[in-house]
């Protein structure tokens, strides 16, 4: 006993075999501490079971949906007499698209971490992100126009070159070099979401393949490139940084490797295709043609507005989901949650194959309900604040019950994202004119990038509930425009793609 300065036996002898009060209190505190630690360990195991169980349930559902989809796809391919030449064409595109997406997904989890590693403040990092979105808004639009004039294959190779250049700049901690890398990255991002789709659609129709076969390609591209690849890339990036201890630059080197392999495949197997705009036409003429396509055709205008609104909500969600699930710094497994969200997105893309395969159910109709469901899912963080949940203000504690409900809502939103991409690709292939396809698609991204820049610059001024309310408003507006598009296209009958 430290206070009696005696051994245990002497202590008990001195106090007549009865422990003194301060020793009893000390031992009581130890038992309480051990009980608290045991309870905390038990709670942690319960939380791990919750995350693993959720991931496993969605993964099983995804596998079952994909197996059924493949069975239907096989029967459909046999019915439509899909040729070996088309299957080779589709598989080539899917390999290239997956490699390009791997180059993008590998970088995502460690961009912020790398800048922090170099010692930059949150404000400096925010400026770097703004530079990337600003570059995509300004230079990406110009590059998209050049893709229509000089070729989409060349644009794909430009994407590879600019993104590899962006990865290389990550080896320097100099702020100016990192800023240059963000400019390269912004240009590359615009090309990723326009050049490859434009090449696919143009090449598909130039080879006289069945238009219905394009639906399967879109669905598979999203399932693999935005689903499977995103999960594998996240695990690989974590392995390189954490397990191999190669540092936060390693994922960028891996991304450059995947991009280089994809570039070689593009250079050796792809043929060039262009829009109908002459190479001698000025940029002003190209933008004029794109402007006429957008404002003289309400179908294209509605498509562009819906895309901008949905993607604005989606990119805002990227910044919002972490603080929404852990408003008081609760301990949440970001990697596991991200992987679960990607599985939900894969479920959405698997469902889309069936939706697009139903000739009686046009995307112009069902996308209204997709936007409404997305709006409802993102309204959960607002609605749950109205209920008297027991607050959990302890930092480092597991996710609250309110957080669990919010997470389920976010998983629904990710499933809607999985439906959105291939469905929007299908509608763009139908309504956007071939001659200015890349230019128009990049023009659609101008409002998106402008919005994200404004949000990033003023993110500290807006409370979380306001941000989610704004996303909900965007999605409801998109549903309204989708309804108008359905009425417009139904009144005029089936629209033949402009190719």
């Amino acid at each position: 006993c430290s206070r009696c300065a005696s051994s245990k036996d002497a202590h008990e002898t001195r106090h007549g075999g009865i422990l003194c009060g301060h020793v009893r209190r000390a031992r009581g505190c130890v038992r309480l501490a051990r009980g608290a630690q045991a309870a905390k360990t038990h709670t942690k195991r319960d939380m791990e079971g919750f995350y693993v169980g959720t991931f496993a349930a969605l993964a099983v559902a995804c596998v079952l949906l994909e197996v059924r989809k493949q069975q239907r796809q096989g029967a459909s391919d046999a019915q439509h007499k899909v040729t070996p030449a088309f299957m080779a064409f589709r598989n080539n595109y899917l390999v290239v698209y997956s490699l390009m997406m791997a180059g993008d997904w590998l970088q995502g989890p460690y961009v912020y971490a790398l800048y922090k590693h170099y010692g930059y403040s949150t404000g400096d990092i925010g400026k770097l992100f703004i530079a990337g979105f600003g570059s995509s808004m300004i230079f990406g639009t110009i590059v998209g126009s050049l893709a229509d004039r000089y070729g989409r294959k060349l644009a794909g190779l430009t994407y590879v070159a600019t993104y590899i250049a962006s990865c290389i700049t990550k080896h320097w901690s100099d702020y100016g070099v990192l800023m240059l890398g963000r400019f390269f990255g912004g240009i590359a991002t615009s090309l990723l979401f326009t050049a490859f789709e434009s090449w696919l659609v143009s090449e598909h129709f130039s080879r006289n393949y069945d238009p219905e076969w394009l639906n399967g390609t879109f669905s598979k591209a999203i399932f693999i490139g935005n689903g499977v690849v995103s999960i594998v890339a996240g695990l690989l990036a974590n392995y390189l940084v954490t397990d191999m201890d190669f540092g936060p630059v390693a994922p960028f080197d891996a991304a450059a490797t995947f991009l280089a392999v994809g570039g070689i495949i593009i250079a050796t197997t792809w043929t060039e295709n262009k829009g109908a705009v002459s190479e001698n036409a000025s940029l002003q003429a190209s933008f004029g043609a794109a402007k006429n396509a957008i404002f003289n055709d309400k179908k294209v205008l509605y498509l562009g507005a819906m895309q901008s609104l949905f993607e604005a909500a989606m990119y805002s969600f990227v910044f919002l989901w972490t603080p929404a699930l852990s408003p008081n710094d609760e301990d949440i497994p970001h990697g596991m949650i991200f992987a679960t969200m990607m599985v939900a997105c894969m479920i959405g893309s698997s469902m889309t194959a069936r939706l697009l395969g139903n000739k009686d159910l046009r995307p112009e109709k069902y996308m209204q309900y997709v936007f409404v469901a997305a709006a409802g899912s993102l309204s959960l963080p607002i609605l749950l604040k109205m209920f008297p949940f027991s607050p959990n203000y302890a930092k480092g504690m597991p996710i609250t019950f309110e957080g669990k409900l919010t997470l389920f809502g976010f998983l629904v939103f990710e499933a809607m994202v999985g439906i959105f991409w291939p469905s929007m690709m299908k509608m763009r292939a139908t309504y956007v004119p071939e001659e200015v396809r890349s230019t128009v698609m990049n023009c659609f991204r101008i409002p998106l990038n402008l919005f994200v820049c404004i949000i990033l610059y003023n993110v500290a001024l807006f409370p979380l509930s306001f941000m989610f309310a704004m996303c909900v408003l965007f999605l409801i507006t998109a549903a309204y425009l989708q309804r108008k598009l359905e009425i417009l296209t139904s009144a005029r009958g089936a629209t033949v793609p402009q190719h």
Side-chain angles (χ1 to χ4, degrees):
C1 178
S2 59
R3 296 195 182 183
C4 298
S6 57
S7 65
K8 179 179 181 293
D9 293 337
H11 182 280
E12 292 182 354
T13 301
R14 180 175 299 180
H15 294 280
I18 301 176
L19 296 180
C20 62
H22 63 266
V23 172
R24 291 196 301 271
R25 287 193 298 270
R27 291 190 177 183
C29 290
V30 170
R31 286 194 295 270
L32 287 174
R34 288 175 179 173
Q37 182 63 34
K40 186 175 181 180
T41 303
H42 180 71
T43 303
K44 185 175 182 180
R45 284 199 299 267
D46 288 345
M47 285 298 102
E48 290 175 352
F50 165 73
Y51 294 117
V52 173
T54 303
F55 177 84
L58 289 179
V60 170
C62 182
V63 170
L64 292 176
L65 281 171
E66 189 62 17
V67 169
R68 292 186 61 186
K69 186 184 81 173
Q70 292 301 329
Q71 292 173 345
R72 289 193 302 270
Q73 188 70 49
S76 177
D77 289 347
Q79 181 182 357
H80 290 88
K81 298 179 181 180
V82 173
T83 63
F86 170 73
M87 292 303 297
F89 165 75
R90 172 188 284 180
N91 292 337
N92 172 273
Y93 176 79
L94 292 176
V95 169
V96 170
Y97 184 76
S98 297
L99 289 170
M100 299 301 103
M101 292 304 300
D104 185 57
W105 284 116
L106 276 165
Q107 300 179 55
Y110 286 96
V111 175
Y112 189 93
L114 179 69
Y115 296 151
K116 274 290 187 183
H117 175 73
Y118 285 146
Y120 290 107
S121 66
T122 302
D124 291 333
I125 295 173
K127 292 176 183 177
L128 289 170
F129 277 96
I130 291 173
F133 284 106
S135 170
S136 180
M137 179 177 63
I138 300 172
F139 300 107
T141 307
I142 297 174
V143 173
S145 176
L146 295 176
D148 287 328
R149 295 169 61 194
Y150 297 106
R152 283 72 179 262
K153 173 184 176 180
L154 179 60
L157 292 173
T158 302
Y159 163 80
V160 171
T162 52
Y163 227 1
I164 289 178
S166 176
C167 292
I168 291 174
T169 61
K170 301 301 187 291
H171 283 271
W172 282 268
S173 61
D174 181 78
Y175 195 76
V177 176
L178 295 174
M179 183 68 75
L180 179 64
R182 291 300 300 174
F183 281 119
F184 283 137
I187 295 172
T189 301
S190 288
L191 289 171
L192 174 62
F193 293 109
T194 56
F196 294 96
E197 181 183 331
S198 296
W199 181 89
L200 170 66
V201 173
S202 179
E203 200 69 17
H204 183 99
F205 286 105
S206 68
R207 299 188 185 196
N208 296 316
Y209 293 138
D210 190 330
E212 294 299 321
W213 298 350
L214 195 58
N215 301 337
T217 306
F218 286 149
S219 179
K220 287 179 180 293
I222 298 302
F223 181 86
I224 298 173
N226 290 39
V228 176
V229 171
S230 65
I231 296 174
V232 174
L235 295 174
L236 176 59
N238 184 75
Y239 175 76
L240 292 173
V241 175
T242 305
D243 298 323
M244 298 299 293
D245 199 23
F246 285 155
V249 182
F252 299 92
D253 293 336
T257 303
F258 281 104
L259 291 168
V261 173
I264 293 172
I265 297 176
I266 293 173
T268 56
T269 63
W270 282 23
T271 56
E272 187 62 276
N273 65 56
K274 307 174 183 178
V277 179
S278 170
E279 291 187 12
N280 296 323
S282 64
L283 282 176
Q284 183 177 359
S286 299
F287 285 123
K291 177 183 176 182
N292 291 334
I294 294 173
F295 292 102
N296 292 343
D297 188 341
K298 288 186 177 180
K299 299 186 295 296
V300 179
L301 178 62
Y302 292 159
L303 270 180
M306 287 185 292
Q307 176 178 321
S308 295
L309 289 167
F310 186 89
E311 291 190 27
M314 183 182 68
Y315 279 103
S316 298
F317 173 75
V318 171
F319 298 106
L320 297 177
W321 72 263
T322 296
L325 295 179
S326 57
N328 305 299
D329 292 328
E330 288 88 351
D331 185 17
I332 60 174
H334 294 82
M336 176 61 77
I337 292 175
F338 174 78
T340 305
M341 288 181 177
M342 291 302 100
V343 174
C345 183
M346 292 165 64
I347 289 176
S349 64
S350 291
M351 293 169 58
T352 311
R354 186 169 186 174
L355 293 172
L356 291 175
N358 188 342
K359 295 184 178 180
D360 297 326
L361 189 61
R362 302 164 62 234
E364 290 84 354
K365 181 176 182 63
Y366 70 72
M367 281 303 296
Q368 303 170 51
Y369 307 107
V370 169
F371 289 136
V372 171
S377 65
L378 291 191
S379 67
L380 266 180
I382 305 171
L383 297 176
L384 291 175
K385 295 296 183 184
M386 303 177 183
F387 294 90
F389 290 101
S390 298
N392 178 8
Y393 294 106
K395 182 178 181 180
M397 291 295 289
I399 190 171
T400 61
F401 179 70
E402 179 184 352
K404 291 179 182 180
L405 294 179
T406 302
L407 175 59
F408 285 128
F410 290 170
L411 294 177
V412 172
F413 177 75
E414 284 294 339
M416 297 304 104
V417 172
I419 297 175
F420 167 81
W421 283 115
S423 302
M424 183 59 68
M425 288 176 175
K426 169 64 175 176
M427 290 189 288
R428 285 198 299 254
T430 303
Y431 300 119
V432 177
E434 165 61 23
E435 60 270 16
V436 287
R437 181 178 302 278
S438 293
T439 308
V440 169
M441 290 171 63
N442 271 298
C443 287
F444 289 171
R445 295 181 62 84
I446 291 177
L448 161 69
N449 288 309
L450 180 61
F451 170 78
V452 174
C453 287
I454 294 173
I455 291 300
L456 280 175
Y457 190 77
N458 299 288
V459 66
L461 301 179
F462 302 111
L464 205 60
S465 57
F466 175 85
M467 297 289 289
F468 277 110
M470 187 166 51
C471 292
V472 170
L473 177 62
F474 288 165
L475 294 169
I476 292 175
T477 305
Y480 169 74
L481 293 175
Q482 185 70 63
R483 173 62 179 165
K484 290 180 70 69
L485 178 63
E486 185 207 1
I487 295 173
L488 183 63
T489 55
S490 297
R492 297 182 180 181
T495 305
V496 179
Q498 304 177 48
H499 303 290

